[in-house]
Amino acid sequence: MRKITIAIDGYSSTGKSTVAKQLADWLEYIYVDTGAMYRAITLFAMRNKIIAPETFQVERLIETLPNVTVEFKRNNATGNAEIFLNGQNVEREIRTLEVSEFVSPIATVPEVRKKLVQQQQEIGKEKGVVMDGRDIGTVVFPGAELKIFMNASAETRAKRRYEELLGRGDTVSFDDVLRNVVERDRIDTTREDSPLRKADDAIEIDNSEMNLEDQFHTILQLAKDRIAGRV
Ligand code: DC
């Protein structure tokens, strides 16, 4: 069967990774969570005091970037790809609210984007990939056969993220999570380099009122149509 490229973009906490993972499992495609790559660089910057409240040493970040490696390795126990920063598994550390607070400024830096976009294009060059992020359909794979743009109300998204963080045992307030979701939307959509926007040929899905199963089947059907060359 012919393999295609599936780009899933959208606002934060719209469930992009959930549906991307489901699709990749079903189609036996590679799944790439590009947000995890930006988060890993952010964790690196936090650990090295390059970014902190009121501080962002952009030049230092750019200088050290060639020495930072971000890669995915498969966890054989779960079957999921996990992210490694300079050889260390940071899958858990990158999901905190603190990393979420700093990731959008880090993702505005063109040198960071260039490095990660090149890596993403290399991973997906043979197709058979489902990639989620903010610029996949517009910049990373503008020729992707299927582009989805996901959205939901800020409250719905913050509620999902809040429950996820509580489920991990993190202590967070709903208001802080909501504020972070809104602030990240603002930075991600207004940055100069590759702002979050719907590609002209992307299909928009608002899943505020959709359950996971309906959403999966809707997108899977779109993928099957593309694979069969029906669209
Ligand atoms: O998908 P996520 O919430 O884990 O992404 C974290 C941040 O990374 C997001 O707020 C913006 C940035 N990002 C990006 O700029 N481009 C991507 N392709 C993926 C994420």
Side-chain angles (χ1 to χ4, degrees):
M1 220 190 314
R2 115 182 155 111
K3 286 194 184 283
I4 64 166
T5 301
I6 303 178
I8 304 195
D9 289 304
Y11 292 93
S12 57
S13 307
T14 42
K16 299 183 296 294
S17 63
T18 304
V19 75
K21 235 180 264 169
Q22 287 173 315
L23 281 175
D25 283 350
W26 200 96
L27 295 167
E28 296 184 1
Y29 278 18
I30 297 169
Y31 162 59
V32 186
D33 170 2
T34 64
M37 301 170 82
Y38 289 92
R39 286 171 178 273
I41 301 271
T42 304
L43 185 65
F44 170 84
M46 287 163 61
R47 285 179 171 175
N48 290 282
K49 313 257 182 303
I50 290 170
I51 198 163
E54 321 283 313
T55 315
F56 186 10
Q57 300 175 0
V58 181
E59 292 308 322
R60 241 186 92 210
L61 176 64
I62 296 168
E63 269 164 36
T64 40
L65 213 47
N67 306 322
V68 184
T69 63
V70 168
E71 61 197 326
F72 289 99
K73 290 185 193 165
R74 191 183 144 88
N75 176 332
N76 286 328
T78 62
N80 291 331
E82 295 184 344
I83 190 122
F84 284 67
L85 168 65
N86 291 339
Q88 186 202 3
N89 188 329
V90 291
E91 183 61 36
R92 200 182 150 76
E93 287 91 326
I94 60 160
R95 311 279 169 199
T96 61
L97 185 58
E98 207 188 351
V99 171
S100 300
E101 305 272 9
F102 293 122
V103 65
S104 285
I106 295 282
T108 62
V109 180
E111 288 79 359
V112 170
R113 305 204 67 82
K114 188 161 174 250
K115 177 183 173 92
L116 297 184
V117 167
Q118 269 174 3
Q119 213 176 322
Q120 291 152 12
Q121 289 172 333
E122 182 63 29
I123 300 172
K125 69 175 193 281
E126 312 282 353
K127 295 185 182 269
V129 67
V130 186
M131 205 170 275
D132 84 55
R134 303 293 189 288
D135 59 343
I136 311 304
T138 51
V139 174
V140 182
F141 292 116
E145 288 83 354
L146 177 60
K147 299 181 187 177
I148 303 290
F149 189 85
M150 297 190 40
N151 204 350
S153 70
E155 285 70 22
T156 304
R157 294 186 281 127
K159 190 162 172 280
R160 289 176 188 156
R161 184 49 64 100
Y162 175 63
E163 280 162 9
E164 194 182 311
L165 290 167
L166 286 190
R168 287 164 37 109
D170 291 4
T171 320
V172 287
S173 82
F174 175 77
D175 287 351
D176 284 347
V177 175
L178 177 60
R179 212 170 301 126
N180 175 254
V181 162
V182 172
E183 178 61 2
R184 275 204 289 149
D185 288 353
R186 189 187 67 75
I187 303 177
D188 294 348
T189 52
T190 57
R191 69 177 174 229
E192 226 160 88
D193 187 350
S194 323
L196 166 65
R197 68 168 183 85
K198 177 182 164 297
D200 293 338
D201 52 350
I203 297 167
E204 183 155 1
I205 295 192
D206 186 316
N207 62 14
S208 306
E209 306 291 330
M210 243 182 184
N211 69 36
L212 286 181
E213 199 166 326
D214 290 346
Q215 166 176 285
F216 170 56
H217 287 290
T218 304
I219 302 177
L220 178 62
Q221 191 54 52
L222 294 169
K224 285 180 178 171
D225 289 344
R226 298 307 187 282
I227 293 167
R230 283 193 289 265
V231 183

